[in-house]
Amino acid sequence: MRISTTIFLTDETISPVRLARELEQRGFAGLYLPEHTHIPVSRETPYPAGGELPREYARTLDPFVALGQAAAVTERLGLGTGITLITQHDPIVLAKQVATLDHLSGGRFTLGVGFGWNREEAADHGVDWSTRRELGRDRLDLMRALWAPEPTAYEGEYGDSVRASEVWPKPAGGAPRVLLGGAAGPKLFAQIAAQTDGWMPIGGRGLTESLPVLREAWEKAGRDPATLQLVPYAVLPSPGKLAHYAELGCEEVVLQLPSGGEGEVLGVLDAYARYL
């Protein structure tokens, strides 16, 4: 099972370049970065984990810029987002960013997508919260049209469209691996089966009960059961927890690093080395 990591990189933490080099040298499989464009101070939406919103949420680096730095100083390290707030992007521009990063990194990019939790942040991007899932579905389909080998037009139900166009570069393998994040449920599982390569559940709790439901939706959509990818995300590890994920068929797990300086982060990497 591959052991990757995630961290809220900010203007106050270890740098992307230093972290990426240390991860590759130590044998970790990948680096995934979260995204928030801004955090409105009105804070009407409660923090899902409860309590005060941690400081790093308002200070996150742009994941694509940071991962571009990480790609430039590594050769094998996987790169990914966990997650890209897909409804908060112009999908034509996002498709170009994804394709460019995947092309320049030699196919090392995983696009983790999701719909977020902060209604005020989404509203500032013009997102109607009630239709965010459907809008996200349309935007991912539009992006796939731009990654297609031949010029392909797309017109969505929620206002996004693109003419048949010449657009290069293409992602290294035709399209990056796409994982969808979010809480277990029939709507999410149907969307995973229809559009993506698998599920990126935060924390990994309840997988024993949820996985059979996801597999049923996957097979109902005509997908090959062997191709479903399950990547538990932002996990605080223990030997028993990781062994359980391996038994469930997970080929990769993403461990949470603290949003801290070099000394703190590298110390945690030393502790996590036992799981490699």
Side-chain angles (χ1 to χ4, degrees), residues 169-212:
K170 303 295 184 184
R177 179 174 68 155
V178 179
L179 301 173
L180 182 57
K187 287 185 178 180
L188 184 83
F189 289 168
Q191 194 160 0
I192 289 172
Q195 283 193 300
T196 76
D197 299 297
W199 185 26
M200 183 183 278
I202 294 179
R205 296 178 63 181
L207 291 184
T208 302
E209 296 76 25
S210 299
L211 189 52

Side-chain angles (χ1 to χ4, degrees), residues 96-183:
K96 173 71 81 171
Q97 289 176 299
V98 169
T100 299
L101 181 53
D102 197 55
H103 167 74
L104 292 176
S105 67
R108 289 188 277 152
F109 183 66
T110 292
L111 177 63
V113 298
F115 311 112
W117 56 270
N118 191 316
R119 295 185 181 216
E120 298 79 61
E121 179 184 2
D124 283 349
H125 288 278
V127 176
D128 180 344
W129 193 253
S130 67
T131 58
R132 69 193 185 284
R133 291 179 182 273
E134 293 79 7
L135 178 61
R137 178 198 66 209
D138 271 7
R139 291 191 168 173
L140 184 54
D141 281 345
L142 185 152
M143 291 165 64
R144 289 193 184 280
L146 291 171
W147 297 332
E150 300 296 333
T152 303
Y154 179 81
E155 184 168 351
E157 297 179 21
Y158 291 84
D160 288 316
S161 63
V162 67
R163 307 162 199 254
S165 302
E166 293 286 355
V167 53
W168 301 87
K170 303 295 184 184
R177 179 174 68 155
V178 179
L179 301 173
L180 182 57

Side-chain angles (χ1 to χ4, degrees), residues 76-101:
R76 302 175 305 279
L77 187 72
L79 311 162
T81 52
I83 47 79
T84 294
L85 297 165
I86 191 168
T87 61
Q88 296 182 187
H89 288 265
D90 178 318
I92 299 174
V93 175
L94 182 59
K96 173 71 81 171
Q97 289 176 299
V98 169
T100 299
L101 181 53

Side-chain angles (χ1 to χ4, degrees), residues 10-65:
T10 77
D11 56 320
E12 299 176 327
T13 67
I14 188 172
S15 73
V17 167
R18 180 66 191 280
L19 178 58
R21 284 174 168 157
E22 291 287 342
L23 288 170
E24 184 159 276
Q25 289 171 5
R26 293 162 184 256
F28 287 89
L31 172 63
Y32 291 77
L33 298 181
E35 174 182 48
H36 283 284
T37 55
H38 66 299
I39 301 294
V41 296
S42 59
R43 296 290 295 111
E44 297 169 17
T45 307
Y47 176 43
E52 292 296 319
L53 185 68
R55 175 184 179 87
E56 58 263 26
Y57 276 73
R59 307 185 76 98
T60 54
L61 302 183
D62 179 276
F64 290 94
V65 175

Side-chain angles (χ1 to χ4, degrees), residues 182 184 189 199-215 230-233 235 241 244-246 248-250 252-253:
F189 289 168
W199 185 26
M200 183 183 278
I202 294 179
R205 296 178 63 181
L207 291 184
T208 302
E209 296 76 25
S210 299
L211 189 52
V213 182
L214 173 57
R215 284 178 171 152
L230 183 67
V231 182
Y233 187 79
V235 171
K241 188 183 293 186
H244 177 59
Y245 294 153
L248 291 176
C250 300
E252 181 180 12
V253 62

Side-chain angles (χ1 to χ4, degrees), residues 210-259:
S210 299
L211 189 52
V213 182
L214 173 57
R215 284 178 171 152
E216 182 180 358
W218 188 264
E219 294 181 31
K220 185 177 180 180
R223 307 289 297 273
D224 180 353
T227 64
L228 174 61
Q229 299 189 42
L230 183 67
V231 182
Y233 187 79
V235 171
L236 297 176
S238 69
K241 188 183 293 186
L242 296 186
H244 177 59
Y245 294 153
E247 290 173 358
L248 291 176
C250 300
E251 297 181 357
E252 181 180 12
V253 62
V254 182
L255 307 187
Q256 181 70 60
L257 294 171
S259 182

